[in-house]
Amino acid sequence: MTITESAVAEFGRDLRAPVSSPGQLAHRSALMQLEKAGEFLGLDKGMQQLLATPRRSLTVAVPLRRDDGRLEVHTGYRVQHSLTRGPGKGGVRFHPATDLNEVTALAMWMTWKCALLGLPYGGAKGGIAVDVDGFSRAEKERMTRRYTQEILPFIGPDKDIPAPDVNTDETTMAWMMDTYSVSVGYSVHAATTGKPLTVGGSNGRATATSRGVVITALEAMRHKGIDPRNATVAIQGFGKVGAHAARLFAEEGCRVVAVTDVTGGIQQDRGLLIDPLIDRASQGGVLTELSGFGDRISNKELLALDVDVLVPAAMDGVLTEDNADEVRASLVVEGANGPTSPEADAILADNGITVVPDILANAGGVVVSYLEWVQNLQAFSWSIEEVDRKLTSLMGAASQTVWALAANQAISLRLAAHALGVGKVAEAHRDRGLFP
Ligand code: GLU
């Protein structure tokens, strides 16, 4: 099928049109991936259009009184891409590049991710287009609470359950849960996931995404004949996902030779000392200001390092046709959502580089979000061992299914993962039927 005949192109975005923002690139990538999966599955045009279209897209104004008295108005979003297999599920990000296109793409990826992992959810995502650098805690709290109030009619344990994402954390989720609870008049722990342990958070949620990245990376290393104890790893992003992933890779015996944050980062061929690095970074420091760990490295240089495993764990759209040819890793494990454009995917494949796709590699977070929600609904709490056991088993099973389909059909892991996710959602649509 050519793009001109494409059902998705007709209904969604013109996939040939040039993109001029990270959000447009993400949306275009998500639609092209869906189209490929739809084609592979033989889905008819109507079904492809149904799957390409978000169920609900909400744009809200988020007025904020800054500490100095100024009034600012930011734009917030919540997109529920699918509610077919269960309530919406997905994170909330605070980032200046956030827009409706990006949130739509991210919501779509949540739908396939939840379906692939067999979680009883649809897919959703939210965010505010704002640079929170320099915001006080009180400013972040007011903004979070006002955003929550604006989207309140659309969220809740049976409707759509927010979670942390870029620049949001367990404190953000506690404020969102509290705002929801105060508004209905009683405590609703299951209204958000990724909360602190004191208000219904789950053991193991904070490190779950990183744990999933490492589980799927180890599985990929096994398939590629790479011994983890001799493997070198470079990680872009030293936040919630990247920092814990670095520690867990090191625990598996891998040599983490470079990490970066938004400012750039550090390279040390002998292997970085991860725990002291995390300690220093968590005191508020950026990596390029820390001395004594290794040599300076830019984000561009990190992506081109000659390592076994490259983990983009920061933002979407970092590997494109402009730089994919520079990648020298054997494996790319996508800790972030949407780091690789379809053009970059093709270049990496041509160069024999295996990509473990985001909807599999970073699914550990939403898996433990699901476990947290289940515990909240039962007013029950599992031990860290129980949570890790369930996480490992769900991630391992999904990973094996994706690798098996990719091998049987001689397709990429990305297409296999999307075909499995998209296929389950299409089946659910067929079984439920169309109203009226
Ligand atoms: N923001 C994470 C993701 O992109 C977690 C979502 C969730 O736990 O609902 O998968």
Side-chain angles (χ1 to χ4, degrees):
M1 182 194 286
T2 64
I3 282 168
T4 8
E5 296 164 332
S6 137
V8 174
E10 253 175 63
F11 199 76
R13 154 180 304 282
D14 179 354
L15 302 181
R16 292 159 302 169
V19 294
S20 59
S21 69
Q24 286 182 3
L25 176 65
H27 193 205
R28 177 176 162 279
S29 300
L31 289 174
M32 287 176 79
Q33 291 160 0
L34 167 61
E35 172 161 72
K36 270 193 147 186
E39 206 178 315
F40 176 82
L41 293 164
L43 299 182
D44 64 40
K45 186 169 162 179
M47 181 60 83
Q48 287 202 45
Q49 290 183 346
L50 190 59
L51 297 174
T53 316
R55 181 74 176 269
R56 292 179 188 137
S57 306
L58 184 65
T59 301
V60 296
V62 186
L64 167 70
R65 181 76 63 195
R66 297 296 298 267
D67 292 343
D68 63 9
R70 273 179 303 134
L71 175 68
E72 284 175 0
V73 184
H74 300 283
T75 307
Y77 307 94
R78 186 75 188 171
V79 172
Q80 296 171 346
H81 169 259
S82 174
L83 302 170
T84 303
R85 298 182 61 264
K89 185 84 195 82
V92 174
R93 61 172 58 183
F94 296 161
H95 195 274
T98 294
D99 62 15
L100 191 57
N101 280 310
E102 187 192 53
V103 176
T104 303
L106 291 161
M108 200 182 288
W109 286 323
M110 285 308 305
T111 302
W112 318 141
K113 195 187 301 188
C114 292
L116 172 63
L117 270 292
L119 310 178
Y121 292 134
K125 202 83 171 197
I128 306 179
V130 63
D131 184 358
V132 285
D133 223 26
F135 270 37
S136 69
R137 182 184 159 95
E139 288 170 335
K140 280 190 204 160
E141 176 168 0
R142 286 197 292 278
M143 187 180 71
T144 302
R145 287 186 182 279
R146 181 60 187 252
Y147 167 71
T148 310
Q149 187 64 44
E150 294 298 338
I151 65 168
L152 207 99
F154 299 93
I155 59 170
D158 303 318
K159 297 183 190 173
D160 179 5
I161 307 116
D165 199 76
V166 176
N167 289 329
T168 56
D169 58 15
E170 58 173 38
T171 306
T172 323
M173 290 308 118
W175 291 330
M176 291 191 77
M177 185 280 273
D178 183 70
T179 306
Y180 184 93
S181 297
V182 168
S183 130
V184 296
Y186 51 90
S187 287
V188 187
H189 283 166
T192 65
T193 60
K195 303 177 296 291
L197 287 175
T198 50
V199 287
S202 175
N203 284 311
R205 176 62 183 85
T207 53
T209 310
S210 318
R211 209 166 270 289
V213 166
V214 175
I215 292 171
T216 53
L218 289 173
E219 171 88 3
M221 286 188 230
R222 201 171 59 72
H223 281 275
K224 301 273 284 186
I226 301 170
D227 178 356
R229 281 155 309 174
N230 293 323
T232 49
V233 181
I235 304 177
Q236 183 188 49
F238 206 63
K240 287 189 294 287
V241 182
H244 290 299
R247 187 173 52 74
L248 295 168
F249 273 117
E251 279 176 22
E252 294 296 332
C254 304
R255 196 149 39 98
V256 180
V257 294
V259 293
T260 49
D261 59 24
V262 275
T263 64
I266 309 169
Q267 178 179 8
Q268 172 57 266
D269 289 340
R270 291 196 306 273
L272 288 158
L273 294 171
I274 305 298
D275 284 339
L277 199 56
I278 293 179
D279 279 352
R280 294 278 298 282
S282 65
Q283 288 156 22
V286 293
L287 292 176
T288 41
E289 280 169 9
L290 304 182
S291 57
F293 287 96
D295 301 324
R296 288 274 181 89
I297 186 173
S298 69
N299 269 296
K300 186 175 157 41
E301 288 164 340
L302 177 128
L303 295 174
L305 283 179
D306 190 3
V307 286
D308 293 303
V309 186
L310 173 66
V311 183
M315 291 301 291
D316 36 280
V318 295
L319 290 172
T320 64
E321 57 197 325
D322 298 331
N323 62 356
D325 227 358
E326 291 166 22
V327 174
R328 285 188 287 161
S330 305
L331 275 173
V332 174
V333 182
E334 296 185 330
N337 289 306
T340 314
S341 76
E343 290 76 13
D345 247 347
I347 295 168
L348 296 174
D350 281 349
N351 293 345
I353 298 167
T354 301
V355 179
V356 183
D358 46 7
I359 61 169
L360 174 65
N362 70 33
V366 72
V367 166
V368 178
S369 274
Y370 163 65
L371 299 177
E372 179 174 332
W373 178 76
V374 168
Q375 291 169 83
N376 292 160
L377 294 177
Q378 298 177 100
F380 198 78
S381 170
W382 287 318
S383 66
I384 179 77
E385 291 77 19
E386 186 68 18
V387 170
D388 277 348
R389 199 179 56 72
K390 288 180 158 65
L391 169 67
T392 307
S393 122
L394 279 164
M395 290 297 295
S399 197
Q400 277 161 26
T401 317
V402 170
W403 275 92
L405 181 63
N408 286 344
Q409 299 293 318
I411 55 175
S412 68
L413 295 174
R414 171 137 22 237
L415 178 53
H418 274 81
L420 289 161
V422 170
K424 281 198 196 170
V425 181
E427 266 174 48
H429 270 295
R430 284 194 210 101
D431 286 347
R432 282 182 64 157
L434 190 64
F435 176 85

